[in-house]
Amino acid sequence: MTAVDPTLRAVKTTCAYCGVGCGVLATPDGQGGAAISGDPEHPANFGRLCSKGSALGETLGLQSRLLHPMIRCGEVMQRVDWRDALDHVAHRFQHIIARDGPGAVAFYLSGQLLTEDYYVANKLMKGFIGSANVDTNSRLCMASSVAGHRRAFGADTVPGCYEDLDEADLLVFVGSNAAWCHPVLFQRMLANKQKRGARFVVIDPRRTDTAGDDDLFLGVKPGTDSALFNGLLVHLADNGALDRDYIEHYTSGFDAMLARARGMAGSVAATALATGLTEQDVATFFRMFAAAPRVVTLYSQGVNQSAQGTDKVNAILNCHLATGRIGKVGASPFSLTGQPNAMGGREVGGLANQLAAHMGFTPPDIDRVRRFWKAPRIATHEGLKAVQMFEAIGRGEIKALWVMGTNPVVSLPDADRVREALKRLDLFVVSENVLSNDTVAVGPHVLLPAEAWGEKSGTVTNSERRISRQRAFLKPPGEAKPDWWILTEVARRLGFGSAFAFNSAADIFREHAALSAFENNGARDFDIGGLKAVSDDGFDAMAPVQWPIRLNAQPQERFFAEGGFYSNDRKARFVAPEMPALRTETTPARPLRLNTGRIRDQWHTMTRTGMSPRLGQHLPEPFVEVHPDDALKYGVNDGGFARITTDYGQCTLRVVVSARQQRGMLFAPIHWSAATATGARIGSLVAPYTDPFSGQPENKATPAAIAPYEYVFRGFALSRTPLELPDHAWVARVAVAGGHGYLFADNADLKGWQVWMKANTADGLAEYNDFGGGVYRAAAFAGERIAACLFIGPAGDAGDWNVVKSLFAADALSDTQRRMLLSGRSADGVASAGPVVCACFGVGRDTICNAIAAGARSAAEIGAKLKAGTNCGSCIPEMKRLIAQLPTDATKPQLAAAN
């Protein structure tokens, strides 16, 4: 726990991670850190935080920070002052625009930018440089939802709010592992289930932890979501479950859409055939939906990250429109947003196919924004979306790129080609708060130090359209600056100073609010004109508020219960989806499909979460999940290694064999990069096919092959300072208390490891070696604590990582602990707690199993004994599985077998 100076007050801010938008209380400790807790008054979370949010205080260190502007001179990055860096960026952009035109430059932004940062970037590129080549990593996250909303509603409008999750009678999760990815909201829905009897349906190719509390699980074939919802619509039509009045008064295109749905999934049997489900399960789902007036359908990356993602979204929206279950208490479709400010980016126009303030590239909108910005060079057509933007860089069409707060070399599909494309740029600028990641490693010409969470100040918008303040509670380190300030300074150097005379985030927010209301009069959904005259003090004190916030109008929590859509005729459009079809086919050489996604305790490419020791304990290594039948067929073993190959690249990953994985499918998490592991950058495997409407890539179904990869030795190293392990080893880097951890596997001679260890430690190395048995262990000490240690041996005989890690974290070892260290076992005979299950309280699997053996037969009973599961609750599904696996009278030998 971080010590808190009682003279320092808590600052209300907003979490840095997902789109739930949780309120956070950050109390600085006066030494560059802070104590973190949930804000009980914030309406998004009412004080609850997930494991990632709870660990934010562990991610505030400066060890990896970029602190000063740098310019490349030859092969070396040299520190320069801000004036020189900004002059250089402006001069090079000016030169390239003059030579090649505005289409030759681009910005690539991030859903972690604040709305004010986004606004300035969008205004500069689209309004004054005159190009719409400004896109964001939100393209990889929620672009299909945006496109589906716009096609159906005429605007990118989220109709419902979080209160609907409390009041729904049926909650349908489609391609959403909310238990892990949005745990605070999931716990809210579980409370609804427990108090009101709400029912859960989970639709997903994987049986994720969200399915642990379901009433019905539908393990659909990949890519068939739209067939399922088309079948549902036909069932609703044939069984008198439509809202004919709503359809007649507020929508258009219903008959044509229903005819298309009948041709695709005209019966329960046809739907079952199309989706790979049983007829009984399909019929049960249809009856559940039809019988529940209050239905919320929640969808996320499993729907969006598809080459037919927009059609999937519209298939879901069609069912809600046809039943009038939209914009009503407990009844709406609901897009679960992935990033903390993906919504704010959409509001300002941070996507290449949006202009600004939910206006598009229509002649009236272009003219309106041009007049408001006084921008004669305004872009007049859409720019390149993310995947197409980096393809254009590879072809040499885009000459200059400015990346802000994101890591495209890891996150984009076909990531090896992205990395090579960046090397072709005449000007590559990166605004970052870290000194090193995979994108920085490519070799930017300019690095600009940006403020990080805790230092910057502005607004973000969450999944329910709620605008919240992110507030600074730490002083910016070094010469770090706000992203909006950096952009404004470049804009002034480009000759646009009068349009960028911003002196604060509040100045930008006021202009953003004014644009949203400009010539609006209810014609556009996004309107926060009621805040356009907010004072600086009012901005500083602004409480979380949900848009729209129209001037002199009553608050509005929901949209569309009585029509009022944003198409020309104010009606919603039913959109007839195309026949479901994945863009790729499996082959004998690529017989499986690779699905990608997130894990519970990590975020994106681990730039922040990778710094937290507690978040690295649950799943510390990159892995691939495979069904037992496929594991047997392809010769891979649980706990072993496998090489995954696609047409785009290959990775080597630990194997997890699980019946929760669908046959014919693999699953691998997206988080690891070259900076954190060897050969585990999953983006390099993913096909770059995109949805024709949203431009979002199909990250969930790349044809792949799996084959065993053998390593003779396994091991781990711990050190107070960073280590560079030998290139021949497979390595996963793990944050640990007190230093740096490394889990590795290797086939090299053990004596080489002895030489390496001696080269990386001082004299006085304590060693144990049995080269004949394949075992080598060594430790160096600094005073009474471990300075560095290395354990390597055959699989299963490298020592206990959890035991040695706990000894490494200690300030001082006893004589007995020091003597026993190289045994790799606990000196006092106490068993290891095992791999962490509850990251919030650091409770290990073996500790939980022992509590179960002692009589705890529910997650609540375990929580009462150990606190596990009593904060964010995302570990509860795993605890339930452990309870199911262990008999009530389990003994310790049985526990060992179970683990």
Side-chain angles (χ1 to χ4, degrees):
M1 184 67 178
T2 306
V4 176
D5 183 339
T7 64
L8 297 169
R9 63 180 180 85
V11 174
K12 291 192 172 191
T13 186
T14 309
C15 183
Y17 296 120
C18 78
V20 175
C22 293
V24 170
L25 296 178
T27 307
D29 61 9
Q31 300 174 357
I36 299 296
S37 61
D39 180 356
E41 297 179 354
H42 198 290
N45 60 316
F46 299 108
R48 188 187 289 271
L49 291 177
C50 74
S51 59
K52 294 184 287 293
S54 298
L56 275 165
E58 297 180 12
T59 69
L60 300 175
L62 302 182
Q63 303 93 323
S64 60
R65 287 295 297 273
L66 174 65
L67 299 175
H68 307 283
M70 306 181 84
I71 292 179
R72 180 167 300 282
C73 297
E75 296 300 312
V76 179
M77 295 301 292
Q78 292 189 353
R79 176 180 171 180
V80 298
D81 64 30
W82 266 110
R83 183 181 62 188
D84 290 342
L86 295 166
D87 287 348
H88 181 76
V89 171
H91 171 73
R92 295 292 294 135
F93 263 102
Q94 211 161 30
H95 172 74
I96 292 167
I97 293 166
R99 184 189 68 194
D100 302 304
V105 300
F107 292 169
Y108 188 60
L109 311 178
S110 166
Q112 280 116 81
L113 292 176
L114 301 181
T115 299
E116 293 72 24
D117 304 323
Y118 255 129
Y119 181 87
V120 178
N122 190 61
K123 180 180 180 180
L124 173 58
M125 180 59 80
K126 289 178 182 161
F128 290 83
I129 291 175
S131 167
N133 288 340
V134 52
D135 213 52
T136 166
N137 60 10
S138 300
R139 179 70 60 191
L140 314 180
C141 175
M142 304 309 296
S144 294
S145 287
V146 175
H149 289 161
R150 293 175 71 182
R151 289 205 298 181
F153 307 149
D156 176 22
T157 312
V158 175
C161 59
Y162 290 167
E163 184 189 21
D164 297 329
L165 310 182
D166 306 328
E167 300 296 333
D169 296 323
L170 178 65
L171 293 145
V172 183
F173 300 86
V174 193
S176 167
N177 186 9
W180 274 20
C181 300
H182 299 92
V184 170
L185 288 186
F186 187 70
Q187 290 303 309
R188 195 163 170 171
M189 291 181 268
L190 276 180
N192 179 8
K193 184 178 180 68
Q194 292 157 4
K195 293 174 184 176
R196 298 182 61 258
R199 305 179 78 191
F200 286 8
V201 175
V202 178
I203 302 167
D204 201 303
R206 296 175 65 224
R207 187 178 285 274
T208 66
D209 275 8
T210 301
D213 291 281
D214 64 301
D215 297 280
L216 177 66
F217 174 71
L218 300 177
V220 293
K221 291 192 299 189
T224 62
D225 310 74
S226 55
L228 179 64
F229 281 89
N230 279 341
L232 171 61
L233 188 80
V234 171
H235 174 86
L236 296 170
D238 291 347
N239 288 273
L242 300 178
D243 187 333
R244 291 288 181 181
D245 286 342
Y246 193 93
I247 293 170
E248 180 180 350
H249 288 101
Y250 304 131
T251 72
S252 65
F254 177 76
D255 290 340
M257 184 275 303
L258 180 60
R260 175 75 66 85
R262 286 194 188 282
M264 189 183 302
S267 66
V268 167
T271 305
L273 185 65
T275 57
L277 300 170
T278 67
E279 291 185 28
Q280 179 180 349
D281 282 348
V282 170
T284 300
F285 171 51
F286 289 177
R287 287 195 301 269
M288 290 172 73
F289 194 102
R294 291 188 172 190
V295 181
V296 174
T297 304
L298 304 112
Y299 51 95
S300 194
Q301 312 297 35
V303 167
N304 292 304
Q305 290 181 336
S306 165
Q308 289 187 312
T310 306
D311 273 1
K312 294 178 183 180
V313 170
N314 283 114
I316 293 168
L317 300 183
N318 287 341
C319 293
H320 280 268
L321 289 168
T323 54
R325 295 171 186 172
I326 186 167
K328 298 174 182 175
V329 175
S332 257
F334 202 101
S335 163
L336 286 173
T337 311
Q339 295 196 81
N341 202 29
M343 288 284 282
R346 286 147 64 174
E347 290 159 12
V348 304
L351 294 165
N353 54 321
Q354 298 175 331
L355 184 51
H358 281 203
M359 288 179 275
F361 285 93
T362 63
D365 284 348
I366 294 168
D367 178 64
R368 183 179 299 112
V369 178
R370 177 187 59 77
R371 286 184 286 108
F372 181 87
W373 278 345
K374 299 179 176 61
R377 300 184 194 175
I378 194 167
T380 56
H381 57 273
E382 295 182 1
L384 294 172
K385 303 178 181 76
V387 173
Q388 289 71 34
M389 178 186 290
F390 283 84
E391 289 173 347
I393 294 169
R395 294 191 299 268
E397 295 166 10
I398 290 178
K399 311 287 187 181
L401 176 70
W402 190 344
V403 172
M404 302 177 206
T406 186
N407 198 1
V409 172
V410 182
S411 56
L412 279 167
D414 197 5
D416 286 346
R417 183 171 292 185
V418 169
R419 181 173 57 192
E420 293 308 306
L422 291 174
K423 296 175 183 177
R424 297 196 59 183
L425 287 163
D426 291 353
L427 176 64
F428 181 23
V429 182
V430 175
S431 296
E432 254 298 350
N433 52 51
V434 295
L435 188 58
S436 177
N437 61 29
D438 286 32
T439 299
V440 172
V442 171
H445 301 106
V446 185
L447 285 174
L448 302 174
E451 290 178 356
W453 183 84
E455 300 152 13
K456 56 187 180 179
S457 180
T459 61
V460 292
T461 306
N462 74 358
S463 292
E464 64 163 352
R465 296 175 277 107
R466 190 174 298 279
I467 299 169
S468 297
R469 282 296 317 276
Q470 264 194 24
R471 293 181 174 90
F473 55 87
L474 299 173
K475 291 182 178 179
E479 296 181 88
K481 297 288 187 182
D483 288 285
W484 67 260
W485 180 90
I486 301 169
L487 286 155
T488 295
E489 288 296 317
V490 170
R492 290 170 179 167
R493 285 163 169 79
L494 291 172
F496 311 130
S498 62
F500 292 85
F502 303 121
N503 294 310
S504 67
D507 283 347
I508 303 164
F509 183 82
R510 283 188 284 267
E511 181 174 303
H512 167 51
L515 175 57
S516 75
F518 183 61
E519 298 178 354
N520 191 331
N521 300 316
R524 305 191 301 275
D525 64 336
F526 179 64
D527 185 342
I528 57 172
L531 297 172
K532 68 181 181 179
V534 65
S535 66
D536 287 356
D537 289 343
F539 182 74
D540 286 343
M542 191 167 76
V545 60
Q546 196 172 29
W547 65 258
I549 312 159
R550 304 186 195 278
L551 191 63
N552 302 320
Q554 292 297 311
Q556 179 182 340
E557 290 185 321
R558 298 174 178 84
F559 284 86
F560 309 142
E562 297 179 356
F565 295 93
Y566 292 95
S567 56
N568 290 336
D569 60 4
R570 305 295 280 181
K571 289 188 173 185
R573 297 283 185 272
F574 284 100
V575 178
E578 297 295 326
M579 188 68 70
L582 295 169
R583 287 289 299 274
T584 54
E585 298 287 342
T586 56
T587 65
R590 304 280 185 266
L592 305 169
R593 287 197 182 274
L594 174 66
N595 180 10
T596 70
R598 299 176 180 174
I599 60 174
R600 190 188 76 190
D601 294 341
Q602 298 295 350
W603 173 254
H604 283 201
T605 64
M606 295 168 60
T607 307
R608 179 177 294 278
T609 52
M611 298 169 65
S612 167
R614 77 167 102 163
L615 296 180
Q617 295 183 70
H618 181 231
L619 295 170
E621 297 171 292
F623 64 90
V624 60
E625 197 172 85
V626 57
H627 189 275
D629 292 352
D630 290 326
L632 183 65
K633 181 176 181 179
Y634 297 106
V636 298
N637 299 312
D638 189 62
F641 284 84
R643 179 154 287 173
I644 315 303
T645 306
T646 72
D647 289 346
Y648 305 92
Q650 63 181 23
C651 289
T652 304
L653 307 169
R654 288 293 292 264
V655 175
V656 174
V657 177
S658 173
R660 298 196 298 154
Q661 178 64 41
Q662 194 173 113
R663 291 177 183 84
M665 294 286 294
L666 305 172
F667 172 81
I670 62 172
H671 308 291
W672 281 269
S673 65
T676 52
T678 306
R681 195 164 48 96
I682 298 301
S684 67
L685 303 182
V686 175
Y689 296 112
T690 60
D691 180 287
F693 303 102
S694 70
Q696 186 156 356
E698 187 160 82
N699 285 13
K700 302 288 188 180
T702 302
I706 188 171
Y709 195 88
E710 298 297 331
Y711 283 110
V712 175
F713 301 115
R714 312 281 174 86
F716 58 86
L718 295 158
S719 175
R720 303 292 168 191
T721 57
L723 297 172
E724 286 296 326
L725 271 67
D727 290 340
H728 48 71
W730 180 95
V731 181
R733 296 162 184 83
V734 187
V736 298
H740 307 267
Y742 305 85
L743 295 161
F744 65 86
D746 193 32
N747 288 322
D749 181 24
L750 284 186
K751 291 183 180 179
W753 280 99
Q754 183 182 41
V755 171
W756 175 86
M757 185 64 177
K758 289 181 175 179
N760 281 276
T761 54
D763 295 336
L765 191 67
E767 295 180 282
Y768 169 79
N769 65 66
D770 175 9
F771 291 144
V775 176
Y776 175 69
R777 298 172 183 176
F781 297 89
E784 296 182 324
R785 67 177 190 162
I786 302 168
C789 60
L790 173 71
F791 286 69
I792 184 169
D797 193 24
D800 190 319
W801 157 255
N802 291 297
V803 166
V804 178
K805 182 157 56 77
S806 66
L807 295 173
F808 179 78
D811 291 330
L813 300 187
S814 68
D815 290 343
T816 302
Q817 287 173 324
R818 190 161 175 154
R819 284 196 304 271
M820 290 288 291
L821 173 63
L822 295 186
S823 73
R825 299 191 299 272
S826 174
D828 52 14
V830 177
S832 162
V836 163
V837 172
C838 175
C840 295
F841 295 108
V843 184
R845 185 178 62 192
D846 294 356
T847 303
I848 292 171
C849 288
N850 289 338
I852 296 168
R857 300 305 297 170
S858 70
E861 290 177 24
I862 294 170
K865 288 187 175 184
L866 306 174
K867 297 184 74 175
T870 60
N871 182 38
C872 74
S874 59
C875 61
I876 289 175
E878 189 168 346
M879 291 197 295
K880 288 181 176 179
R881 287 198 300 277
L882 292 173
I883 291 168
Q885 291 167 9
L886 293 172
T888 309
D889 59 348
T891 63
K892 286 193 175 182
Q894 289 173 313
L895 283 176
N899 288 300

